[in-house]
Amino acid sequence: MLLTREPGGTAGAEALRALLLAGTVGWSAAGEAFVHFAARADHVALALRPALARGAWVVCDRFSDSTMAYQADGQGADPALIAGLAALVGLAPDLTLVLDVPPSVAAARLAGRGQAADRYEREDAAFQARVRQGFLRIAAAEPGRCAVLDATGDTATVADALWAVVASRLQGGR
């Protein structure tokens, strides 16, 4: 099994992640989407495809849906640009789990973890609401691939719900 994240997962993609999350560069929405896809292309070529080729399961924290939600819905990038870049990458998840919480719950959890917020976490409530709606829109458009989980509960409750969805999908359910 490969447990990985985006942006990240390879040396080059981690370097781009650091630039994206630091907030020291003022990207345009389209430019930022391209940077995410540059990191993704490296990640897919050097980590994901090799893992899949050897028959490994891949669990990735974020993928193309996140770019659509953050850069298109959150920042206003052209959704067709992001969809086109996703098609060029040529890899899509079999299952996407959307852990849904209202922005106020997410903000309280971020404040309670005792770490500095990254630039996306520092965005205002309106941005966070647009991103959330983007994820919910994607999930509604692709219910065969996406499952929305109420993540307002405690860790054990959310984990139980997550594993129930995974088990159902592994058994061929929808």
Side-chain angles (χ1 to χ4, degrees):
M1 179 181 305
L2 173 64
L3 300 175
T4 189
R5 68 180 183 181
E6 286 210 354
T10 64
E14 288 292 336
L16 293 173
R17 176 188 182 87
L19 279 173
L20 287 161
L21 297 184
T24 56
V25 176
W27 307 98
S28 68
E32 189 167 313
F34 277 110
V35 175
H36 275 279
F37 275 97
R40 183 163 299 123
D42 197 61
H43 189 218
V44 166
L46 300 178
L48 302 185
R49 286 201 189 281
L52 293 169
R54 66 177 183 269
W57 285 41
V58 174
V59 177
C60 186
D61 178 9
R62 304 192 183 273
F63 203 65
S64 295
D65 291 337
S66 292
T67 310
M68 185 66 79
Y70 279 85
Q71 279 63 56
D73 295 292
Q75 297 175 333
D78 182 357
L81 169 71
I82 294 168
L85 291 169
L88 286 173
V89 167
L91 186 65
D94 295 320
L95 173 62
T96 298
L97 301 170
V98 177
L99 303 178
D100 182 41
V101 296
S104 60
V105 172
R109 288 180 178 172
L110 288 170
R113 73 178 184 189
Q115 297 175 352
D118 68 37
R119 68 174 277 259
Y120 295 112
E121 295 165 347
R122 291 190 303 265
E123 290 283 353
D124 65 20
F127 172 85
Q128 303 300 342
R130 290 190 306 272
V131 169
R132 179 185 186 208
Q133 289 308 309
F135 278 116
L136 294 175
R137 178 189 51 73
I138 292 164
E142 296 190 57
R145 177 178 63 85
C146 300
V148 178
L149 301 168
D150 177 357
T152 58
D154 61 65
T155 303
T157 301
V158 175
D160 287 346
L162 183 147
W163 286 114
V165 170
V166 171
S168 170
R169 298 294 173 100
L170 289 175
Q171 295 169 1
R174 291 283 178 200

Short mmCIF file of all heavy atoms in Angstrom, two decimals, residues 132-163:
data_model
loop_
_atom_site.label_atom_id
_atom_site.label_comp_id
_atom_site.label_asym_id
_atom_site.label_seq_id
_atom_site.Cartn_x
_atom_site.Cartn_y
_atom_site.Cartn_z
N ARG A 132 -15.91 24.15 -0.05
CA ARG A 132 -16.80 23.08 0.43
C ARG A 132 -17.90 22.80 -0.59
O ARG A 132 -18.18 21.64 -0.93
CB ARG A 132 -17.42 23.48 1.76
CG ARG A 132 -18.37 22.43 2.30
CD ARG A 132 -19.06 22.90 3.56
NE ARG A 132 -19.86 21.85 4.16
CZ ARG A 132 -20.94 22.08 4.88
NH1 ARG A 132 -21.33 23.32 5.12
NH2 ARG A 132 -21.63 21.08 5.37
N GLN A 133 -18.52 23.84 -1.11
CA GLN A 133 -19.58 23.66 -2.10
C GLN A 133 -19.02 23.01 -3.37
O GLN A 133 -19.71 22.21 -4.03
CB GLN A 133 -20.27 24.98 -2.42
CG GLN A 133 -21.15 25.48 -1.28
CD GLN A 133 -22.14 24.43 -0.80
OE1 GLN A 133 -22.87 23.83 -1.58
NE2 GLN A 133 -22.14 24.19 0.51
N GLY A 134 -17.79 23.34 -3.72
CA GLY A 134 -17.16 22.69 -4.87
C GLY A 134 -17.02 21.20 -4.67
O GLY A 134 -17.36 20.40 -5.57
N PHE A 135 -16.55 20.79 -3.52
CA PHE A 135 -16.44 19.35 -3.24
C PHE A 135 -17.81 18.67 -3.26
O PHE A 135 -17.96 17.58 -3.81
CB PHE A 135 -15.75 19.10 -1.89
CG PHE A 135 -14.26 19.17 -1.94
CD1 PHE A 135 -13.58 20.15 -1.23
CD2 PHE A 135 -13.52 18.24 -2.67
CE1 PHE A 135 -12.19 20.22 -1.26
CE2 PHE A 135 -12.14 18.30 -2.69
CZ PHE A 135 -11.47 19.29 -1.99
N LEU A 136 -18.80 19.32 -2.67
CA LEU A 136 -20.14 18.73 -2.65
C LEU A 136 -20.73 18.65 -4.06
O LEU A 136 -21.42 17.68 -4.40
CB LEU A 136 -21.05 19.53 -1.71
CG LEU A 136 -20.65 19.48 -0.23
CD1 LEU A 136 -21.54 20.40 0.59
CD2 LEU A 136 -20.67 18.05 0.31
N ARG A 137 -20.45 19.64 -4.90
CA ARG A 137 -20.91 19.61 -6.28
C ARG A 137 -20.26 18.46 -7.05
O ARG A 137 -20.94 17.73 -7.77
CB ARG A 137 -20.58 20.96 -6.96
CG ARG A 137 -20.96 21.03 -8.44
CD ARG A 137 -20.42 22.31 -9.10
NE ARG A 137 -19.01 22.54 -8.88
CZ ARG A 137 -18.02 21.85 -9.46
NH1 ARG A 137 -18.28 20.87 -10.29
NH2 ARG A 137 -16.75 22.16 -9.21
N ILE A 138 -18.97 18.29 -6.89
CA ILE A 138 -18.25 17.20 -7.54
C ILE A 138 -18.84 15.86 -7.09
O ILE A 138 -19.11 14.97 -7.92
CB ILE A 138 -16.74 17.26 -7.23
CG1 ILE A 138 -16.12 18.49 -7.91
CG2 ILE A 138 -16.04 15.98 -7.66
CD1 ILE A 138 -14.74 18.86 -7.37
N ALA A 139 -19.04 15.70 -5.80
CA ALA A 139 -19.59 14.44 -5.27
C ALA A 139 -20.99 14.17 -5.80
O ALA A 139 -21.32 13.03 -6.14
CB ALA A 139 -19.58 14.47 -3.75
N ALA A 140 -21.81 15.20 -5.90
CA ALA A 140 -23.17 15.02 -6.42
C ALA A 140 -23.16 14.64 -7.90
O ALA A 140 -24.00 13.86 -8.35
CB ALA A 140 -23.98 16.30 -6.21
N ALA A 141 -22.19 15.17 -8.63
CA ALA A 141 -22.09 14.87 -10.07
C ALA A 141 -21.54 13.47 -10.34
O ALA A 141 -21.79 12.92 -11.41
CB ALA A 141 -21.21 15.91 -10.76
N GLU A 142 -20.80 12.91 -9.38
CA GLU A 142 -20.18 11.59 -9.57
C GLU A 142 -20.42 10.68 -8.36
O GLU A 142 -19.47 10.26 -7.68
CB GLU A 142 -18.68 11.75 -9.82
CG GLU A 142 -18.35 12.49 -11.09
CD GLU A 142 -16.88 12.41 -11.41
OE1 GLU A 142 -16.36 11.28 -11.53
OE2 GLU A 142 -16.26 13.48 -11.53
N PRO A 143 -21.68 10.35 -8.09
CA PRO A 143 -21.96 9.54 -6.90
C PRO A 143 -21.40 8.12 -6.96
O PRO A 143 -21.21 7.48 -5.92
CB PRO A 143 -23.50 9.52 -6.84
CG PRO A 143 -23.93 9.76 -8.25
CD PRO A 143 -22.90 10.68 -8.84
N GLY A 144 -21.11 7.62 -8.14
CA GLY A 144 -20.52 6.29 -8.25
C GLY A 144 -19.07 6.25 -7.78
O GLY A 144 -18.56 5.21 -7.41
N ARG A 145 -18.41 7.39 -7.82
CA ARG A 145 -17.00 7.48 -7.41
C ARG A 145 -16.84 8.14 -6.06
O ARG A 145 -15.92 7.83 -5.31
CB ARG A 145 -16.19 8.27 -8.46
CG ARG A 145 -14.73 8.49 -8.07
CD ARG A 145 -13.94 9.21 -9.13
NE ARG A 145 -14.39 10.55 -9.42
CZ ARG A 145 -14.04 11.65 -8.74
NH1 ARG A 145 -13.23 11.57 -7.72
NH2 ARG A 145 -14.49 12.83 -9.10
N CYS A 146 -17.72 9.05 -5.73
CA CYS A 146 -17.56 9.88 -4.53
C CYS A 146 -18.56 9.49 -3.44
O CYS A 146 -19.71 9.16 -3.73
CB CYS A 146 -17.78 11.35 -4.87
SG CYS A 146 -16.64 12.01 -6.10
N ALA A 147 -18.09 9.59 -2.22
CA ALA A 147 -18.96 9.41 -1.05
C ALA A 147 -18.71 10.58 -0.11
O ALA A 147 -17.56 10.89 0.21
CB ALA A 147 -18.66 8.10 -0.34
N VAL A 148 -19.78 11.24 0.31
CA VAL A 148 -19.67 12.35 1.25
C VAL A 148 -19.94 11.81 2.64
O VAL A 148 -20.96 11.16 2.88
CB VAL A 148 -20.68 13.48 0.91
CG1 VAL A 148 -20.59 14.60 1.94
CG2 VAL A 148 -20.44 14.00 -0.51
N LEU A 149 -19.00 12.07 3.54
CA LEU A 149 -19.12 11.61 4.92
C LEU A 149 -19.24 12.80 5.85
O LEU A 149 -18.46 13.77 5.74
CB LEU A 149 -17.88 10.79 5.31
CG LEU A 149 -17.62 9.56 4.46
CD1 LEU A 149 -16.24 9.00 4.73
CD2 LEU A 149 -18.68 8.53 4.72
N ASP A 150 -20.18 12.74 6.77
CA ASP A 150 -20.31 13.77 7.80
C ASP A 150 -19.12 13.62 8.74
O ASP A 150 -19.01 12.63 9.46
CB ASP A 150 -21.62 13.58 8.55
CG ASP A 150 -21.81 14.57 9.69
OD1 ASP A 150 -20.90 15.38 9.96
OD2 ASP A 150 -22.87 14.52 10.33
N ALA A 151 -18.22 14.58 8.71
CA ALA A 151 -17.01 14.50 9.52
C ALA A 151 -17.07 15.40 10.74
O ALA A 151 -16.03 15.75 11.32
CB ALA A 151 -15.79 14.83 8.66
N THR A 152 -18.28 15.76 11.17
CA THR A 152 -18.41 16.61 12.35
C THR A 152 -18.25 15.83 13.64
O THR A 152 -18.04 16.42 14.69
CB THR A 152 -19.76 17.35 12.37
OG1 THR A 152 -20.82 16.39 12.33
CG2 THR A 152 -19.88 18.33 11.20
N GLY A 153 -18.34 14.51 13.58
CA GLY A 153 -18.21 13.68 14.77
C GLY A 153 -16.77 13.52 15.22
O GLY A 153 -15.84 14.08 14.64
N ASP A 154 -16.61 12.72 16.27
CA ASP A 154 -15.26 12.46 16.76
C ASP A 154 -14.51 11.55 15.79
O ASP A 154 -15.09 10.96 14.89
CB ASP A 154 -15.31 11.86 18.17
CG ASP A 154 -16.04 10.53 18.20
OD1 ASP A 154 -15.56 9.56 17.58
OD2 ASP A 154 -17.11 10.47 18.85
N THR A 155 -13.22 11.44 16.00
CA THR A 155 -12.35 10.69 15.09
C THR A 155 -12.83 9.26 14.91
O THR A 155 -12.87 8.75 13.78
CB THR A 155 -10.90 10.71 15.61
OG1 THR A 155 -10.48 12.06 15.74
CG2 THR A 155 -9.96 9.98 14.67
N ALA A 156 -13.20 8.58 15.97
CA ALA A 156 -13.61 7.17 15.88
C ALA A 156 -14.89 7.03 15.07
O ALA A 156 -15.01 6.11 14.25
CB ALA A 156 -13.79 6.58 17.27
N THR A 157 -15.84 7.92 15.26
CA THR A 157 -17.10 7.86 14.52
C THR A 157 -16.87 8.09 13.03
O THR A 157 -17.42 7.37 12.18
CB THR A 157 -18.09 8.90 15.08
OG1 THR A 157 -18.31 8.64 16.46
CG2 THR A 157 -19.41 8.89 14.33
N VAL A 158 -16.05 9.08 12.71
CA VAL A 158 -15.75 9.37 11.30
C VAL A 158 -14.99 8.20 10.68
O VAL A 158 -15.28 7.78 9.56
CB VAL A 158 -14.98 10.70 11.16
CG1 VAL A 158 -14.56 10.94 9.72
CG2 VAL A 158 -15.84 11.86 11.66
N ALA A 159 -14.03 7.65 11.41
CA ALA A 159 -13.26 6.50 10.90
C ALA A 159 -14.16 5.31 10.64
O ALA A 159 -14.03 4.62 9.61
CB ALA A 159 -12.14 6.14 11.87
N ASP A 160 -15.10 5.05 11.54
CA ASP A 160 -16.03 3.94 11.35
C ASP A 160 -16.87 4.15 10.08
O ASP A 160 -17.07 3.21 9.30
CB ASP A 160 -16.96 3.78 12.55
CG ASP A 160 -16.27 3.20 13.78
OD1 ASP A 160 -15.13 2.66 13.64
OD2 ASP A 160 -16.85 3.29 14.88
N ALA A 161 -17.35 5.37 9.87
CA ALA A 161 -18.15 5.66 8.68
C ALA A 161 -17.30 5.51 7.41
O ALA A 161 -17.77 4.96 6.40
CB ALA A 161 -18.72 7.08 8.77
N LEU A 162 -16.06 5.97 7.47
CA LEU A 162 -15.16 5.85 6.34
C LEU A 162 -14.93 4.38 5.99
O LEU A 162 -15.05 3.99 4.82
CB LEU A 162 -13.84 6.54 6.69
CG LEU A 162 -12.77 6.60 5.62
CD1 LEU A 162 -11.98 7.88 5.79
CD2 LEU A 162 -11.85 5.42 5.69
N TRP A 163 -14.59 3.57 6.98
CA TRP A 163 -14.33 2.15 6.70
C TRP A 163 -15.58 1.42 6.21
O TRP A 163 -15.47 0.50 5.40
CB TRP A 163 -13.73 1.47 7.92
CG TRP A 163 -12.30 1.87 8.10
CD1 TRP A 163 -11.76 2.59 9.13
CD2 TRP A 163 -11.22 1.62 7.19
NE1 TRP A 163 -10.42 2.80 8.92
CE2 TRP A 163 -10.05 2.21 7.73
CE3 TRP A 163 -11.11 0.95 5.98
CZ2 TRP A 163 -8.82 2.15 7.10
CZ3 TRP A 163 -9.87 0.90 5.35
CH2 TRP A 163 -8.75 1.49 5.91
#
